[in-house]
């Protein structure tokens, strides 16, 4: 399994790169990287081409994967499939960089479910019935199938939620006392008080 920190978003509402924001003297991307790394998994960071220079001054180049030029897709799915194309045999543990409150216990629970339910293609949480696809585990076989749908022009939407509808997904409802951990931040006003 390979850990993936997703940082390739445009951060347009934030006005600056969310992965490079700091909490407790650590960038959000480093926080996410360390959480995955604590499970002794290799970790890569998915970035877009505009971010590559800034991130290469913080991380080793072998840890960075830029969006694949062959994909005519935007958003998180572009990052996920770009990593998949580089590591086609690896199941991927995803964590978005803009979820700094999420603790390792929720990641640990996902890994436990992944080990228990072998017939599923993906493992995610749901919040109020809605999928939370940016903290999840995706099997290589399922990602290969999604990529094939894309290549055959049979992927009607390029969203993570739509992708989940195409594969066998195990969902775990978030308990009320853990919903705050999945809060993501899109403006500086939302960060105040962290």
């Amino acid at each position: 399994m390979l850990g993936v920190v997703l940082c390739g978003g445009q951060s347009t509402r934030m006005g600056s790169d969310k992965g490079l924001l700091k909490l407790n003297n650590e960038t959000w991307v480093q926080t996410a990287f360390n959480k995955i790394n604590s499970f002794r998994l290799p970790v890569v960071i998915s970035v877009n081409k505009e971010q590559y220079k800034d991130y290469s001054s913080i991380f080793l180049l072998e840890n960075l994967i830029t969006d694949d030029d062959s994909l005519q897709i935007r958003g998180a799915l572009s990052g996920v499939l770009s990593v998949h194309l580089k590591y086609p045999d690896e199941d991927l543990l995803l964590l978005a960089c803009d979820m700094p409150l999420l603790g390792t216990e929720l990641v640990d629970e996902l890994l436990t479910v992944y080990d228990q339910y072998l017939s599923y293609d993906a493992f995610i949480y749901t919040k109020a019935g809605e999928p939370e696809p940016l903290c999840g585990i995706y099997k290589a076989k399922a990602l290969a199938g999604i990529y094939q749908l894309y290549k055959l022009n049979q992927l009607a939407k390029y969203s993570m939620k739509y992708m989940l509808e195409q594969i066998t997904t195990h969902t775990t409802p978030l308990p009320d006392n853990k919903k705050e951990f999945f809060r993501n931040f899109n403006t500086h006003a939302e960060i105040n008080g962290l």
Side-chain angles (χ1 to χ4, degrees):
M1 184 181 295
L2 179 68
V4 181
V5 180
L6 292 171
C7 296
Q10 299 300 315
S11 301
T12 46
R13 287 176 286 175
M14 186 65 74
S16 60
D17 190 322
K18 289 195 267 188
L20 301 178
L21 295 174
K22 288 194 172 182
L23 177 64
N24 301 325
N25 296 318
E26 190 173 67
T27 60
W28 287 10
V29 63
Q30 187 69 56
T31 298
F33 185 98
N34 291 343
K35 283 175 190 170
I36 296 173
N37 201 35
S38 72
F39 293 96
R40 294 188 170 87
L41 292 174
V43 187
V44 296
I45 300 161
S46 168
V47 295
N48 61 47
K49 291 209 174 357
E50 291 76 35
Q51 296 171 300
Y52 185 80
K53 183 180 177 192
D54 288 336
Y55 281 75
S56 65
S57 67
I58 303 169
F59 293 96
L60 298 172
L61 297 184
E62 60 258 27
N63 291 122
L64 300 178
I65 297 181
T66 55
D67 293 341
D68 191 301
D69 286 333
S70 72
L71 297 171
Q72 301 301 306
I73 300 175
R74 296 176 64 109
L77 187 58
S78 175
V80 172
L81 289 180
S82 295
V83 174
H84 169 70
L85 290 175
K86 190 162 175 81
Y87 297 97
D89 299 323
E90 295 285 352
D91 295 346
L92 304 181
L93 167 61
L94 302 185
L95 183 57
C97 70
D98 62 352
M99 299 167 68
L101 303 181
L102 190 135
T104 55
E105 70 278 358
L106 287 172
V107 177
D108 190 39
E109 286 177 34
L110 271 185
L111 289 166
T112 299
V113 171
Y114 166 85
D115 287 336
Q116 288 176 344
Y117 297 94
L118 302 178
S119 62
Y120 287 90
D121 296 323
F123 306 84
I124 61 159
Y125 289 101
T126 57
K127 185 166 81 172
E130 288 295 312
E132 290 287 343
L134 300 185
C135 172
I137 298 173
Y138 297 83
K139 288 189 176 175
K141 171 181 60 100
L143 293 173
I146 294 297
Y147 180 65
Q148 282 308 308
L149 288 177
Y150 166 74
K151 292 291 284 180
L152 296 169
N153 291 318
Q154 293 177 358
L155 203 56
K157 297 178 189 173
Y158 299 149
S159 75
M160 294 293 291
K161 287 183 181 181
Y162 182 76
M163 180 186 79
L164 288 168
E165 294 169 9
Q166 311 312 307
I167 59 180
T168 308
T169 303
H170 183 282
T171 60
T172 303
L174 271 174
D176 286 340
N177 65 337
K178 294 186 178 176
K179 288 180 180 175
E180 178 71 9
F181 297 155
F182 271 72
R183 184 175 166 207
N184 75 7
F185 299 87
N186 295 307
T187 66
H188 284 281
E190 292 175 352
I191 298 172
N192 291 339
L194 271 187

